[in-house]
C-alpha cells in the first residue's frame, strides 16, 4: 500500500510571519486614492451627515488637507466641486468656470505644495445643473431624454478647465457615449496632451451612491440615471464599455461601485491586463461600514481591510476610497489584521 500523507495546506497558515510571507495580496498606501469635496462659499468644513468622518471643505483649505494626507502617505486625490444651488443652471456652465471650486483648489494646491500630489478631477455636470443629471435633458418625440452629444461639448470644456488649472488626470463620470474621445480631442487641441484620462468606464446605476448625492448636492431632480449608467444585471456589457474607452484613449479604466461588482473588476483585469484598473469603493459602501461600526456590530478596522483587500484581490490596481486616511493611519500604527 502506497503511503498517502494527509495534504496539509494549514502549514502555510501556522503563524503570522508565514501568512505574511505567502500573502498574495497586500494593501499599500500607494494604491489608495482619496476623494475630496471642495465647496464654494463656506468658511468651515461641513460634516457630511451620511458619510461619518467625511467633510465638504472650504476651497482655501485644499493645500492643508492634501498636505496632511501626504504626510500619511496618501499621494493621489480625486477632487469634486460643490456649489450653491443659486449658481447652478440648466447647462451646468459653472462646471467650466475657471473660478469654480475645483480649478481654484488645484491652483492653491500647486502653489503651496508644487507638482508632487497626483490630482485627479471628477468631470461631470450633475453637481452643477439645476436638474442634477449628468447630461442635458431635452424633449424628443414627446419624451424627456438626456442628450448625449451636446453634453460632450460641456464636459470637454470642463476637462480643459481642470487641465489648465493643473490637474494630472481628468476622470469623466457621466457615462455619456464618446466622452473619452471628446475629452481626449479637446485636451490635445488645447495643448494638454500630457494630461491623462481615468475613465469611469464601467459605472453602474447604483443605490450605493446615495450618501454621495447628499455630499455633492447632485441627486437628479426628476427620473433616474438608468438611461446612461449601466444595468447592475450586466457583466459582459462591461467589456464593451471598457473596450470603447480604451479605443477612445483612456489611460486608466475604472469600475464603480467596487464591492458589489468584484466579478466585473476581475473580468476587466483579465481582459485588459495592460491597463491600470481602478475601483471606486463608493459612498454607500463606506457608510454601511461606518454605520455598523458605530453600533459595534463589526470590527471596523478588520472589515475595512478585508474590503480593500478583496477589491485588490479581484484585480484592482487602484482603490478610490473614503477609508484612505483611516487605512493609512492604521498601517502607520503597525496594524496588520491577517
Ligand atoms: C457624478 C458622480 C457620482 C459619484 C461619483 N461621481 C454620483 C452619481 O453618479 O450619481 C458617486 C461616488 C460615490 O457614491 O462615492 N456623476
Amino acid at each position: 500500500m502506497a503511503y498517502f500523507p494527509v495534504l496539509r495546506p494549514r502549514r502555510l497558515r501556522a503563524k503570522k510571519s508565514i501568512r505574511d510571507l505567502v500573502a498574495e495580496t497586500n494593501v499599500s498606501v500607494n494604491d489608495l486614492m482619496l476623494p475630496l469635496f471642495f465647496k464654494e462659499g463656506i468658511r468651515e468644513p461641513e460634516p457630511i451627515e451620511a458619510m461619518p468622518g467625511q467633510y465638504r471643505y472650504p476651497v482655501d483649505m485644499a493645500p492643508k488637507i492634501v498636505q496632511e494626507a501626504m504626510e500619511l502617505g496618501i499621494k493621489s486625490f480625486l477632487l469634486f466641486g460643490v456649489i450653491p444651488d443659486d449658481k447652478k443652471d440648466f447647462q451646468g456652465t459653472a462646471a467650466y468656470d475657471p473660478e469654480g471650486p475645483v480649478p481654484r483648489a488645484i491652483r492653491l494646491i500647486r502653489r503651496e505644495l508644487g507638482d508632487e500630489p497626483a490630482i485627479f478631477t471628477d468631470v461631470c455636470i450633475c453637481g452643477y445643473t439645476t436638474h442634477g443629471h449628468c447630461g442635458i435633458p431635452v424633449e424628443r418625440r414627446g419624451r424627456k431624454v438626456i442628450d448625449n452629444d451636446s453634453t460632450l461639448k460641456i464636459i470637454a470644456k470642463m476637462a480643459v478647465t481642470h487641465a489648465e488649472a493643473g490637474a494630472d488626470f481628468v476622470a469623466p463620470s457621466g457615462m455619456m457615449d464618446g466622452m473619452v474621445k471628446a475629452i481626449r480631442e479637446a485636451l490635445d487641441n488645447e495643448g494638454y496632451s500630457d494630461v491623462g484620462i481615468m475613465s469611469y468606464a464601467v459605472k453602474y446605476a447604483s443605490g450605493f451612491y446615495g450618501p454621495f448625492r447628499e455630499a455633492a448636492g447632485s441627486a437628479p431632480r426628476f427620473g433616474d440615471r438608468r438611461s446612461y449608467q449601466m444595468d447592475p444585471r450586466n457583466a459582459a456589457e462591461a467589456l464593451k464599455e471598457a473596450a470603447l474607452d480604451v479605443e477612445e484613449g483612456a489611460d486608466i479604466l475604472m469600475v464603480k461601485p467596487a464591492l458589489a461588482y468584484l466579478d466585473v473588476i476581475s473580468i476587466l483585469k483579465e481582459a485588459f491586463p495592460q491597463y491600470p484598473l481602478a475601483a471606486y469603493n463608493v459612498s454607500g459602501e463606506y457608510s454601511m461600514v461606518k454605520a455598523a461600526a458605530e453600533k459595534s456590530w463589526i470590527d471596523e478596522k478588520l472589515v475595512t481591510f478585508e474590503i480593500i483587500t478583496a477589491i485588490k484581490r479581484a484585480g484592482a490596481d487602484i482603490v478610490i476610497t473614503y477609508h484612505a486616511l483611516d487605512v493609512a493611519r492604521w498601517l502607520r500604527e503597525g496594524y496588520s489584521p491577517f
Side-chain angles (χ1 to χ4, degrees):
M1 275 271 275
Y3 165 63
F4 253 138
V6 174
L7 298 178
R8 299 186 188 279
R10 286 184 52 192
R11 286 184 196 118
L12 297 179
R13 300 174 205 141
K15 53 183 177 178
K16 182 159 177 58
S17 49
I18 295 172
R19 290 194 295 275
D20 282 349
L21 191 66
V22 300
E24 299 169 37
T25 310
N26 287 292
V27 171
S28 148
V29 286
N30 288 342
D31 313 320
L32 303 179
M33 182 180 294
L34 175 67
L36 289 171
F37 300 97
F38 292 106
K39 183 174 173 182
E40 202 166 289
I42 59 171
R43 310 194 54 176
E44 295 294 327
E46 283 180 0
I48 301 166
E49 205 186 323
M51 301 173 70
Q54 303 299 311
Y55 298 83
R56 285 174 289 256
Y57 292 105
V59 174
D60 54 20
M61 275 184 78
K64 178 171 179 280
I65 301 303
V66 166
Q67 185 174 5
E68 283 170 8
M70 302 262 295
E71 281 163 14
L72 284 169
I74 302 294
K75 305 180 288 274
S76 68
F77 305 88
L78 180 58
L79 270 50
F80 293 91
V82 187
I83 62 170
D85 279 346
D86 61 13
K87 289 263 180 98
K88 298 180 183 180
D89 61 22
F90 197 79
Q91 305 280 337
T93 52
Y96 52 86
D97 178 358
E99 295 308 316
V102 167
R104 274 185 50 225
I106 301 172
R107 287 196 300 268
L108 288 174
I109 293 165
R110 291 290 181 235
R111 199 178 72 196
E112 304 285 321
L113 306 174
D115 194 42
E116 198 189 331
I119 307 291
F120 290 61
T121 62
D122 187 85
V123 171
C124 187
I125 61 174
C126 59
Y128 300 87
T129 55
T130 42
H131 45 76
H133 275 287
C134 307
I136 304 301
V138 295
E139 189 97 355
R140 210 161 272 157
R141 288 176 292 157
R143 222 158 56 91
K144 249 207 184 111
V145 297
I146 300 301
D147 188 55
N148 197 87
D149 296 7
S150 59
T151 306
L152 295 181
K153 299 194 179 78
I154 305 173
I155 58 178
K157 279 194 204 173
M158 185 177 183
V160 169
T161 307
H162 292 175
E164 195 162 39
D168 294 296
F169 279 75
V170 293
S173 67
M175 287 298 279
M176 293 296 120
D177 294 337
M179 65 184 184
V180 173
K181 178 172 187 276
I183 289 174
R184 186 69 274 159
E185 279 174 6
L187 290 173
D188 289 352
N189 285 339
E190 300 295 325
Y192 299 111
S193 58
D194 54 334
V195 173
I197 300 178
M198 174 170 78
S199 178
Y200 288 67
V202 180
K203 179 175 178 183
Y204 286 92
S206 171
F208 288 102
Y209 307 150
F212 172 94
R213 291 177 188 171
E214 181 224 302
S218 64
R221 308 296 196 271
F222 65 88
D224 55 49
R225 303 211 201 284
R226 292 198 183 102
S227 77
Y228 40 103
Q229 297 181 345
M230 272 183 60
D231 188 322
R233 293 171 291 190
N234 297 351
E237 191 187 356
L239 295 174
K240 176 171 77 180
E241 282 286 2
L244 292 174
D245 283 8
V246 160
E247 220 168 281
E248 291 179 27
D251 300 284
I252 301 176
L253 299 171
M254 192 206 297
V255 173
K256 174 185 177 183
L259 198 49
Y261 298 85
L262 294 176
D263 56 328
V264 178
I265 294 173
S266 167
I267 61 171
L268 229 66
K269 193 62 205 179
E270 205 169 309
F272 300 98
Q274 71 276 46
Y275 288 89
L277 181 61
Y280 199 143
N281 177 215
V282 299
S283 58
E285 301 176 322
Y286 170 86
S287 300
M288 288 195 303
V289 171
K290 290 290 178 185
E294 243 166 52
K295 291 184 180 282
S296 305
W297 286 348
I298 55 168
D299 175 335
E300 182 184 355
K301 290 187 186 178
L302 176 57
V303 166
T304 302
F305 265 79
E306 203 170 324
I307 288 172
I308 309 288
T309 302
I311 294 168
K312 284 208 65 190
R313 191 190 61 232
D317 305 295
I318 301 163
V319 184
I320 305 166
T321 180
Y322 305 98
H323 295 293
L325 288 180
D326 281 341
V327 168
R329 213 172 285 122
W330 298 334
L331 282 171
R332 186 147 296 191
E333 288 163 4
Y335 179 72
S336 173
F338 308 116

